[in-house]
Amino acid sequence: MQRVALPSATKAPTSRISRNSRVAVSSRPCGVRAAAVGIEKEDYIETVPDSLLRAGIDDQNSMKGRFERVIREAQDSICAAISEVDGTPFHQDAWTRESGGGGITRVLKDGNVWEKAGVNVSVVYGSMPAEAYRAAVGRDVKDLKDADRVPFFAAGISSVMHPWNPHAPTMHFNYRYFETEEWNGIPGQWWFGGGTDITPSYVVEEDMKHFHGTYKAICDKHDPGFYPKYKKWCDEYFQIKHRGETRGLGGIFFDDLNDREPEKILAFSTECVNNVVNAYVPIVTKHMNDSFTEEEKRWQQLRRGRYVEFNLVYDRGTTFGLKTGGRIESILMSLPKTAGWEYDFQVAEGSPEAEFLDAARNPRTWV
């Protein structure tokens, strides 16, 4: 496989992982930062427990426990599928917190197919400042003062995968469950959120039909109204407003979902996350050995720059993590290893790059 104009890098130590794999113990000076925002410091561990919930307090059959099992199993199966294609194992860091919760970050770096791929699982207990609560729910909340702190539970799986080849797309997914406790007159709330979206550098209509078709079939199975609603929501959410274009070519996105029984939303979220590999990997294997030019690699780097802009300026998950004092390496795992910016870059009229920009500025119906 050809690699063009890429900086050299030393591979990080890796180890093959499983649910109870051994991982490197790390001591990082994060206690002051975490304590200041209501999330305890991380205690890095060698063996990952079967559950990151609070032992003796949380029911494993509760929605918290059931959702954790879904995302832990998804992390295992997705990482296994990606490693099988790439031929490279993921490196793992894992940690717990004294009063409950923890996380597992798995990262593949400098692989044969992916320049960087990461799959995170987190289970978090804490108290969030008013600003973070507003960011989490995406709106202002009456009677919530700036000095208030709201107790919360959050669990989620998130992933971004950046291939080397500019003809193989980047992909992102995130599925999460959130609860707040009743506090100071503010009623307790629960909701689900999530989605899977794709960010190619070039438009290949057949690939987009496959990706979007996979998720439309899932949506139609659970509610025929889901796909048109969540596809539109995805196009709107991933708008880079200061550029007037989307980050990629869409997928599905939903948030604050609690309009039906939680079991039904759990079933929908489970099927979505369990089809990430089916929707994405065939597209990568189709293109991972495509030839490419330096100009095509340059274009990929510029599109990655747009990816960085969206994540750091607009993404609610990134904002929430930074404002609640989450683990920085995990929060910023989504960023590509390399990206580019050029002053006043213009694409040639009628070029494949111009076609992509048109699709990013005028979201298309793929299925």
Side-chain angles (χ1 to χ4, degrees):
M1 177 180 64
Q2 182 186 16
R3 297 180 181 175
V4 181
L6 295 173
S8 61
T10 302
K11 282 196 174 185
T14 58
S15 59
R16 296 198 177 273
I17 48 87
S18 64
R19 173 67 59 83
N20 293 313
S21 63
R22 306 289 288 183
V23 298
V25 178
S26 172
S27 57
R28 294 180 173 90
C30 54
V32 174
R33 178 264 302 162
V37 292
I39 298 180
E40 297 173 328
K41 72 178 182 68
E42 299 92 351
D43 295 318
Y44 287 82
I45 57 176
E46 295 185 358
T47 302
V48 184
D50 289 336
S51 176
L52 295 168
L53 299 184
R54 297 173 296 188
I57 298 176
D58 292 315
D59 183 356
Q60 292 293 328
N61 293 317
S62 67
M63 188 55 65
K64 294 177 182 178
R66 294 164 65 189
F67 190 80
E68 186 201 11
R69 287 194 293 276
V70 167
I71 60 178
R72 294 281 296 273
E73 291 169 5
Q75 185 185 43
D76 288 345
S77 62
I78 292 168
C79 287
I82 297 302
S83 282
E84 183 177 1
V85 173
D86 194 281
T88 305
F90 282 74
H91 170 81
Q92 175 173 290
D93 286 322
W95 63 94
T96 58
R97 293 186 171 96
E98 185 176 355
S99 62
I104 307 163
T105 287
R106 294 176 183 170
V107 175
L108 184 159
K109 188 173 68 172
D110 296 329
N112 297 303
V113 178
W114 282 274
E115 184 177 27
K116 182 181 177 185
V119 186
N120 293 340
V121 159
S122 62
V123 174
V124 179
Y125 299 85
S127 63
M128 70 179 79
E131 183 182 13
Y133 184 77
R134 294 186 187 106
V137 300
R139 62 180 185 275
D140 200 2
V141 179
K142 186 180 179 180
D143 299 328
L144 185 63
K145 301 175 182 178
D146 288 344
D148 289 340
R149 304 190 67 87
V150 181
F152 74 91
F153 166 88
I157 182 170
S158 62
S159 173
V160 177
M161 302 187 184
H162 298 287
W164 291 104
N165 197 303
H167 297 292
T170 287
M171 184 274 304
H172 158 262
F173 70 86
N174 179 295
Y175 292 91
R176 54 199 176 275
Y177 175 70
F178 203 95
E179 286 185 11
T180 62
E181 299 177 16
E182 182 177 355
W183 177 84
N184 201 26
I186 299 173
Q189 300 189 52
W190 63 266
W191 62 88
F192 292 82
T196 307
D197 61 280
I198 195 161
T199 304
S201 298
Y202 293 94
V203 177
V204 181
E205 189 164 345
E206 179 182 323
D207 296 345
M208 294 304 97
K209 287 182 180 295
H210 169 77
F211 182 83
H212 283 266
T214 299
Y215 278 99
K216 183 179 186 301
I218 296 167
C219 288
D220 288 350
K221 177 180 175 181
H222 291 266
D223 187 326
F226 276 176
Y227 179 76
K229 180 179 180 180
Y230 297 157
K231 193 269 185 189
K232 183 174 184 290
W233 200 343
C234 186
D235 290 336
E236 293 173 348
Y237 177 79
F238 289 106
Q239 275 282 333
I240 308 173
K241 298 179 180 64
H242 60 274
R243 297 284 189 182
E245 61 194 49
T246 56
R247 187 178 74 176
L249 297 184
I252 61 169
F253 176 87
F254 61 93
D255 211 355
D256 306 327
L257 187 59
N258 59 4
D259 64 347
R260 60 200 71 200
E261 294 89 342
E263 288 77 13
K264 292 184 177 180
I265 308 176
L266 176 65
F268 173 62
S269 298
T270 300
E271 192 160 1
C272 285
V273 74
N274 286 345
N275 275 277
V276 164
V277 171
N278 295 334
Y280 176 57
V281 170
I283 300 174
V284 174
T285 57
K286 175 182 173 183
H287 295 291
M288 65 188 189
N289 294 316
D290 287 359
S291 61
F292 59 88
T293 66
E294 290 191 26
E295 286 304 305
E296 289 169 334
K297 188 66 184 181
R298 176 189 180 194
W299 174 245
Q300 181 197 47
Q301 295 296 94
L302 292 173
R303 293 314 306 174
R304 286 182 175 179
R306 299 291 201 267
Y307 204 97
V308 171
E309 290 176 28
F310 176 85
N311 281 31
L312 294 183
V313 177
Y314 300 111
D315 185 64
R316 280 172 58 181
T318 303
T319 301
F320 175 78
L322 294 174
K323 289 180 178 177
T324 55
R327 182 176 182 262
I328 298 301
E329 290 300 319
S330 298
I331 296 167
L332 299 182
M333 178 274 297
S334 63
L335 301 182
K337 183 182 174 185
T338 59
W341 287 264
E342 295 185 23
Y343 179 75
D344 196 26
F345 181 86
Q346 299 294 324
V347 299
E349 185 176 351
S351 66
E353 292 79 11
E355 183 185 8
F356 178 88
L357 278 184
D358 178 74
R361 292 168 179 170
N362 304 285
R364 300 178 183 179
T365 300
W366 302 106
V367 291

